[in-house]
Amino acid sequence: MCASTKFKMNNSLDPEQKIQEAYTERQTPNILITGTPGTGKTTLSQLASESTGLHNIIVGELVKEKSLHHGYDQDFQSWILDDDKLVDELEETLSNGGNIVDFHSCEVFPERWFDLVLVLRTDNTILYDRLKDRGYSQKKITENIDSEIFQVILEEAKESYAAEIVVELQSNNIEDMQSNVTRIEEWVEAWKTRTNEKDHQKNLNNTSN
């Protein structure tokens, strides 16, 4: 497992949690917002991007625009992702930091890319209505509801990233959304402050040597 910026995993997003040694020297963090379709990833990533100034990457749109896929799956009404093309497309951007990435899956990405992984969770009844309003087929609705029930995305995140950076957030209503935006903004500011302090201490050590 690659070393990464660590945060204690306690299902909360606390900006006061200690930041340890980062994998890279990037000055701004990368955040992955993931979860079952319909949990509010795109809305949260857009609002958080506006609030923090981080660049927003909506992977679903990028896959379609850049043809980062093997074609369209009619049964599940989705593009068949080309993992290698996607990683190649994002490598330089994510290595530089300063991004909020929105995608319904997370295991395709290198662990080194992210400093925080947020998994959105939504009540099944609310999620069902959201997916129905999108015009999803019954097959696709059932698939996604089952995924939420069995915590597929959450388990995927825990297996793919250090537990300390994986945080589960409720996303049932506008109040949850507003709270999550505020918590992300506070976390980003805390990350930047501690990174600057670390760099300052490093410079002092180098000067004394």
Side-chain angles (χ1 to χ4, degrees):
M1 181 175 290
C2 298
S4 56
T5 304
K6 306 290 187 179
F7 288 82
K8 185 178 179 182
M9 173 60 179
N10 59 1
N11 285 335
S12 67
L13 188 52
D14 184 354
E16 295 306 316
Q17 289 171 336
K18 182 179 180 182
I19 294 178
Q20 298 179 11
E21 190 67 25
Y23 178 84
T24 70
E25 295 300 319
R26 55 181 174 248
Q27 296 301 303
T28 48
N30 288 324
I31 300 172
L32 173 61
I33 298 179
T34 188
T36 304
T39 52
K41 299 181 299 298
T42 299
T43 300
L44 178 59
S45 66
Q46 291 173 337
L47 292 174
S49 174
E50 294 172 2
S51 177
T52 62
L54 300 181
H55 176 55
N56 185 26
I57 300 175
I58 303 175
V59 172
E61 294 182 0
L62 188 67
V63 167
K64 184 178 180 180
E65 292 170 2
K66 300 282 188 177
S67 297
L68 309 176
H69 55 75
H70 297 292
Y72 193 76
D73 187 322
Q74 293 292 345
D75 289 338
F76 291 101
Q77 300 175 306
S78 61
W79 297 100
I80 304 170
L81 180 66
D82 186 321
D83 297 1
D84 293 334
K85 284 185 178 180
L86 177 60
V87 171
D88 289 344
E89 177 70 26
L90 292 176
E91 179 67 56
E92 183 176 356
T93 299
L94 271 294
S95 294
N96 292 332
N99 303 281
I100 295 178
V101 176
D102 153 25
F103 197 43
H104 63 264
S105 181
C106 60
E107 61 185 358
V108 62
F109 304 120
E111 183 184 6
R112 66 180 183 276
W113 278 2
F114 296 107
D115 306 289
L116 180 66
V117 176
L118 302 177
V119 182
L120 302 189
R121 304 298 310 282
T122 298
D123 178 87
N124 295 329
T125 302
I126 296 173
L127 184 61
Y128 183 94
D129 290 340
R130 290 178 183 175
L131 298 178
K132 185 177 180 180
D133 289 343
R134 290 185 177 187
Y136 279 18
S137 66
Q138 187 59 50
K139 179 178 181 180
K140 192 170 183 179
I141 291 175
T142 300
E143 177 194 39
N144 285 304
I145 292 296
D146 287 347
S147 175
E148 187 69 2
I149 290 173
F150 292 107
Q151 305 184 116
V152 171
I153 306 300
L154 179 60
E155 294 305 317
E156 182 181 292
K158 290 179 178 179
E159 292 174 1
S160 302
Y161 301 93
E164 295 88 347
I165 71 169
V166 177
V167 177
E168 181 180 357
L169 295 178
Q170 291 301 307
S171 182
N172 291 314
N173 49 49
I174 189 63
E175 288 77 16
D176 287 343
M177 185 70 66
Q178 292 171 338
S179 173
N180 291 338
V181 171
T182 299
R183 295 163 76 184
I184 292 171
E185 184 177 7
E186 292 173 347
W187 180 89
V188 169
E189 289 305 312
W191 195 97
K192 291 179 179 179
T193 297
R194 285 163 175 75
T195 299
N196 289 336
E197 290 173 351
K198 181 188 67 177
D199 289 344
H200 178 66
Q201 185 61 49
K202 183 185 296 183
N203 291 333
L204 288 177
N205 293 339
N206 290 336
T207 301
S208 63
N209 293 333

